[in-house]
């Protein structure tokens, strides 16, 4: 089993939901964590809620490559290295394809797909140096299409394809790449407020534990694409 204590991780979209759950799990396992988001006040609030001295709050919009480069520079200046990257920032806008606005299409592609590329592009040299691990958080919507999901499906199908191709490109540098494809998760996605009715869903803490387990797995093994569902449906 791999020892991950004192590794350094960067999580985009780390202020709530899945990103927050992953940050909490990593911190509990001795990892030093940087989280980012577009709203620095929200990032600082998440940092306070996590209540751990080994966390760095960063402002970054993954749609902007320069933002991601500056975030990485701050991580290196603070911790001296970067070992683990979780491209988690994402959003969804849902409408029939003939009614979908150009703005909604572009914000999904730019955030969910191009953002995942920007995050990897900004961190890949550190991952090469440290034989690191890159995770993208996709969705079962990256393999299962549905009505009113054309833009979201396109972005998440893209994330799956991007990560799998990146895995083949980067494995020769001893970099691991995995895409996680969750089904229904208790989160703030699409302005949802988590409540008791969400208990049957995957919890952010479950995905956090999954990331920890993957990081600790024998280095000879790479689960490159992981589909995750609730045990039961509602």
């Amino acid at each position: 089993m791999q020892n991950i204590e004192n590794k350094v991780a960067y999580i985009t979209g780390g202020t709530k939901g899945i990103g927050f759950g992953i940050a909490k799990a990593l911190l509990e396992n001795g990892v030093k964590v940087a989280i980012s988001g577009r709203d620095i006040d929200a990032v600082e609030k998440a940092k306070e809620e996590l209540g751990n001295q080994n966390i760095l709050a960063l402002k970054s919009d993954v749609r902007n490559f320069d933002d991601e480069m500056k975030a990485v520079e701050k991580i290196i200046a603070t911790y001296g290295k970067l070992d683990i990257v979780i491209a988690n920032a994402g959003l969804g806008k849902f409408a029939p394809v003939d009614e979908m606005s150009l703005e909604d299409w572009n914000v999904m592609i730019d955030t969910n797909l191009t953002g995942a590329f920007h995050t990897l592009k900004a961190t890949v040299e550190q991952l090469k140096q440290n034989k690191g691990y890159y995770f993208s958080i996709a969705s079962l919507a990256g393999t299962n299409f549905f009505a009113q999901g054309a833009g979201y499906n396109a972005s998440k199908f893209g994330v799956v394809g991007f990560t799998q191709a990146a895995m083949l490109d980067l494995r020769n540098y001893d970099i691991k790449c995995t895409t996680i494809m969750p089904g229904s998760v208790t989160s703030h996605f699409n302005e949802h407020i988590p409540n008791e009715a969400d208990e049957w869903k995957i919890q952010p803490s479950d995905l956090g534990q999954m990331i920890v387990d993957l990081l600790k797995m024998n280095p000879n093994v790479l689960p490159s694409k992981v589909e995750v569902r609730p045990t039961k449906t509602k």
Side-chain angles (χ1 to χ4, degrees), residues 93-97 100 105 108 146-155:
K93 305 282 186 179
F94 303 97
V97 67
M100 181 173 295
W105 172 273
M108 280 188 286
F146 54 90
Q148 300 189 28
Y152 189 69
N153 283 144
S155 71

Side-chain angles (χ1 to χ4, degrees), residues 3 76 91 103 109 117-118 150 158 170 174 202 213 231-232:
N3 180 14
I76 302 309
L91 51 81
E103 180 182 4
I109 297 298
F117 169 66
H118 284 167
L170 299 177
D174 292 320
I202 301 165
D213 291 342
T231 304
K232 297 180 180 179

Side-chain angles (χ1 to χ4, degrees), residues 204-217:
S205 58
D206 299 327
L207 295 176
Q209 185 59 53
M210 175 174 290
I211 295 289
V212 169
D213 291 342
L214 288 166
L215 288 167
K216 290 184 176 182
M217 189 170 286

Side-chain angles (χ1 to χ4, degrees), residues 47 54 62 124 131 136 164-165 174 181 185 195 198 206-207:
K47 175 183 176 179
N54 289 321
V62 297
V124 70
K131 299 182 179 180
S136 65
Q164 296 305 288
D174 292 320
M181 303 170 65
V185 179
N195 57 68
D198 294 324
D206 299 327
L207 295 176

Side-chain angles (χ1 to χ4, degrees), residues 130-147:
N130 299 308
K131 299 182 179 180
Y133 208 138
Y134 172 83
F135 295 91
S136 65
I137 306 300
S139 168
L140 289 181
T143 192
N144 301 306
F145 48 84
F146 54 90

Side-chain angles (χ1 to χ4, degrees), residues 22-100:
I22 294 171
K24 188 172 187 294
L26 292 177
L27 288 165
E28 289 171 350
N29 281 269
V31 177
K32 298 173 182 177
V33 175
I35 58 173
S36 71
R38 289 177 292 174
D39 182 350
I40 190 59
D41 291 336
V43 183
E44 291 287 357
K45 181 181 177 182
K47 175 183 176 179
E48 184 177 343
E49 290 174 355
L50 287 165
N52 191 298
Q53 63 180 359
N54 289 321
I55 184 162
L56 179 65
L58 301 169
K59 183 181 187 302
S60 181
D61 183 341
V62 297
R63 295 174 296 179
N64 187 322
F65 180 66
D66 287 342
D67 276 10
E68 285 294 86
M69 287 296 292
K70 289 175 183 176
V72 173
E73 289 171 3
K74 290 178 181 177
I75 293 168
I76 302 309
T78 302
Y79 295 129
K81 63 173 184 171
L82 179 57
D83 305 288
I84 303 158
V85 176
I86 298 102
N88 168 70
L91 51 81
K93 305 282 186 179
F94 303 97
V97 67
D98 55 315
E99 299 176 13
M100 181 173 295

